[in-house]
Amino acid sequence: MNRPSSPSSSTLVILALLSFALLALRMFEFSLSGAGLHVDEAQYWLWSRDLQWGYFSKPPVLVALITASTTLFGDSLLGVKAFAMTCWILSAWVLGRLAYRISGMRTAIFAGGLFSATLVSGLLGLSVTTDAPLTLFWAFCMLTLWEAAHASGYRATLWWIACGLSLGLGVLSKYSALALGISALWLLATAPARHRRQVFLGGLLASLVAVLMLLPHLAWNMANHWPTAQHTLEITVQETGSTVAQGAGGWRRVLASGLEFSLGQLLILGPSVWLVCFWLWRKQRAHDLPTLASGGMGQAAEPETIQARVWTPGAYALAFSFPILALGLAQALNSKALINWSVPMALGVCLWLACWATQRALSLTRFAWACVAGFVLSGFIATGGDIKQWVGVQTQPNQSKWDIWGRMRGWNASLQTLKPALEPYRDIPWLTGDRSTLVQAAYSLRALEPKLYAWNTDGGVHHHFEWKQPWPIDASDPAVLWINPGEPHPLLLSRYPNARQLAEAQSGRITLQVWLLQTQHAKP
């Protein structure tokens, strides 16, 4: 296949500077928001103190990423988030590289810029979630598979191995990367007959490499009775069970969940994608040209270049969006809508739009304005606090705020208020019946190195710490500290009847109490 001419070094330098500026902007936006860590982020940070091949609810890649990030930058908020935030910037570069290989530099700029300006990149790009490494390795799968299918000999083998490595790391980031298997089958079925054998054998090699990478994680799961797989099934399939059998109410829930998921996908793409779609649709109507879906190539290419391509750019791009969207919709109809379940679909959508924009000669000025709209909206949402106030609505005490950081606020302030009361008891066990309190206390009070345990009365295992750090029923400690949103449980008080409240703190929606609990014979 004919290769596009190499981009100039000045162009690459400008794009690199813009990427660094975007990363700095996102760090500034998060700092300006005044938010702390989400409960899941604090949990991942706590897991990163003890690297394993798996955890109760997640595979290991994100936790390893946090370990590397905090090793280099410390345990500050941005230190925890730095590498996860960088994943979104790198994903745009990998997507741009693929677009460049398909259709040249203009398409690369369109694809990388559009993805960077999506709301999913602008908002999830401020958080530590498994979607960060998943999206990066999804983009690598797209790039390496394209390169492998268009190479030959030794180079093709290396690209297929790289594709397998990308797939393995994707699954070790988040299990939804398994949807790439459906994308691969789609591409195999749509490949020309003369290329199908090469794609099939290469896919087998990539699959073998991915399976070899997954073996340590599978062994860990097997040794621990499959906690990660079971948790994933519970939240994606079994959480609400089948409600269709409940009659009309069940059907209404199914339709509402499907609608919520579908609208959510449009929302996370953001105004940059909406505007580009609108302008291209206008151009399409005005010129009545064929669309990418009907065989458009994304640019005016030479005949030999078209013949050399295994797939059309549009078909290739959408193969990495439609399957995971279909699986996400099916999951939403069966259980409940998880908007972020199909986040990587944005990569395929942006690549498809970039090729279409090149074909329709979309002006760089309009493209730039579309990107600005996406950056402005994501920045506004990230730093705006309670958005109700911006539209003149005063939130009442019993009403929820339109603040994406609402659940991250108040924890550090409350825990720092309690710190003087807690510090004298840093050497005795701390108990809590609330996962959020456990992980937030572990992070905010990390200088005290508290010994935290999960208190549970029903004997079940609902989260990682009830599994790995449960308070033993036969514990003989004469005194423990209770830190929780509410008072100590009566069963706990029956074992530690000498109870004294040491402090209470409230910040926003967070209220925490600290109690010293002692046995009858413990010294005061």
Side-chain angles (χ1 to χ4, degrees), residues 108-158:
I109 293 173
F110 283 161
L114 267 180
F115 180 76
S116 298
T118 59
L119 284 185
V120 67
S121 178
L123 296 179
L124 278 184
L126 305 181
S127 303
V128 182
T129 72
T130 51
D131 296 306
L134 167 68
T135 303
L136 176 59
F137 293 121
W138 191 286
F140 270 119
C141 279
M142 294 173 67
L143 172 62
T144 54
L145 197 157
W146 178 273
E147 294 283 9
H150 293 88
S152 60
Y154 182 64
R155 288 186 67 253
T157 301
L158 291 179

Side-chain angles (χ1 to χ4, degrees), residues 27-113:
M27 289 184 171
F28 175 73
E29 287 175 352
F30 179 78
S31 300
L32 194 62
S33 73
L37 293 183
H38 187 274
V39 55
D40 289 339
E41 294 176 308
Q43 175 178 259
Y44 302 149
W45 172 85
L46 189 52
W47 288 351
S48 73
R49 308 297 95 181
D50 178 28
L51 286 179
Q52 300 287 334
W53 273 103
Y55 299 89
F56 180 81
S57 59
K58 294 292 185 289
V61 162
L62 178 65
V63 178
L65 199 67
I66 295 172
T67 300
S69 185
T70 54
T71 299
L72 286 177
F73 305 116
D75 292 316
S76 66
L77 292 174
L78 290 179
V80 174
K81 291 173 175 284
F83 278 5
M85 297 173 78
T86 305
C87 281
W88 295 95
I89 305 296
L90 294 178
S91 297
W93 273 83
V94 176
L95 184 66
R97 171 64 182 177
L98 172 60
Y100 169 75
R101 294 289 290 115
I102 290 175
S103 192
M105 196 62 197
R106 189 181 185 88
T107 308
I109 293 173
F110 283 161

Side-chain angles (χ1 to χ4, degrees), residues 425-430 438 441-443 445-452 469:
Y425 304 98
R426 61 190 298 175
D427 295 325
I428 68 173
W430 295 11
L438 189 152
Y443 177 75
L445 303 175
R446 57 191 178 277
L448 301 181
E449 299 182 348
K451 295 180 287 186
L452 286 154
Q469 293 173 223

Side-chain angles (χ1 to χ4, degrees), residues 198-221:
Q198 174 195 353
V199 173
F200 175 73
L201 294 176
L204 286 182
L205 175 59
S207 300
L208 176 61
V209 172
V211 169
L212 290 175
M213 290 194 64
L214 292 175
L215 286 180
H217 177 62
L218 294 173
W220 179 91
N221 260 286

Side-chain angles (χ1 to χ4, degrees), residues 163-192:
C163 185
L165 292 172
S166 302
L167 176 59
L169 289 169
V171 177
L172 288 173
S173 300
K174 191 174 183 177
Y175 286 168
S176 53
L178 292 170
L180 284 166
I182 302 177
S183 298
L185 291 175
W186 176 335
L187 292 172
L188 177 63
T190 56

Side-chain angles (χ1 to χ4, degrees), residues 212-503:
L212 290 175
M213 290 194 64
L214 292 175
L215 286 180
H217 177 62
L218 294 173
W220 179 91
N221 260 286
M222 184 181 298
N224 290 278
H225 309 292
W226 304 98
T228 317
Q230 182 177 342
H231 173 80
T232 303
L233 284 175
E234 287 175 353
I235 65 171
T236 58
V237 178
Q238 303 166 0
E239 183 155 328
T240 61
S242 177
T243 57
V244 175
Q246 299 174 10
W251 280 108
R252 283 196 296 269
R253 188 214 62 81
V254 168
L255 293 175
S257 182
L259 183 62
E260 178 185 351
F261 174 83
S262 302
L263 292 178
Q265 303 315 298
L266 291 175
L267 178 65
I268 63 178
L269 290 173
S272 55
V273 170
W274 307 337
L275 285 171
V276 170
C277 277
F278 174 74
W279 287 329
L280 293 178
W281 174 76
R282 289 279 302 273
K283 278 179 168 284
Q284 176 76 25
R285 291 192 64 188
H287 299 287
D288 195 27
L289 295 174
T291 65
L292 284 171
S294 63
M297 297 304 300
Q299 71 169 14
E302 296 298 325
E304 62 270 23
T305 304
I306 295 176
Q307 292 298 322
R309 283 186 172 131
V310 179
W311 302 280
T312 63
Y316 188 79
L318 296 180
F320 291 94
S321 293
F322 282 164
I324 196 170
L325 281 172
L327 287 176
L329 179 60
Q331 181 275 327
L333 295 175
N334 183 72
S335 180
K336 74 171 186 177
L338 299 175
I339 305 300
N340 69 325
W341 201 88
S342 56
V343 158
M345 64 86 191
L347 293 165
V349 170
C350 289
L351 177 60
W352 175 73
L353 272 179
C355 293
W356 192 15
T358 301
Q359 182 189 33
R360 297 292 178 265
L362 180 71
S363 72
L364 287 175
T365 301
R366 284 194 168 183
F367 167 75
W369 278 114
C371 289
V372 167
F375 294 137
V376 169
L377 181 59
S378 60
F380 169 73
I381 296 174
T383 61
D386 184 7
I387 299 177
K388 285 184 179 180
Q389 296 180 358
W390 291 78
V391 294
V393 177
Q394 188 64 36
T395 304
Q396 300 303 315
N398 60 341
Q399 292 180 326
S400 61
K401 296 181 178 180
W402 291 355
D403 181 4
I404 64 169
W405 310 115
R407 295 184 179 182
M408 294 85 148
R409 301 188 191 280
W411 283 107
N412 188 63
S414 297
L415 289 162
Q416 293 302 322
T417 300
L418 295 175
K419 186 176 181 179
L422 292 165
E423 193 162 6
Y425 304 98
R426 61 190 298 175
D427 295 325
I428 68 173
W430 295 11
L431 276 60
T432 180
D434 177 54
R435 177 179 71 107
S436 299
T437 301
L438 189 152
V439 297
Q440 295 287 2
Y443 177 75
S444 291
L445 303 175
R446 57 191 178 277
L448 301 181
E449 299 182 348
K451 295 180 287 186
L452 286 154
Y453 296 89
W455 167 261
N456 180 18
T457 58
D458 63 14
V461 176
H462 308 95
H463 56 76
H464 179 91
F465 305 100
E466 291 181 348
W467 176 43
K468 289 295 187 180
Q469 293 173 223
W471 180 244
I473 195 169
D474 57 349
S476 58
D477 298 72
V480 297
L481 207 66
W482 175 258
I483 176 170
N484 208 62
E487 298 180 355
H489 192 276
L491 182 59
L492 188 60
L493 289 174
S494 68
R495 297 171 59 185
Y496 296 95
N498 293 337
R500 175 165 60 94
Q501 184 172 354
L502 299 178

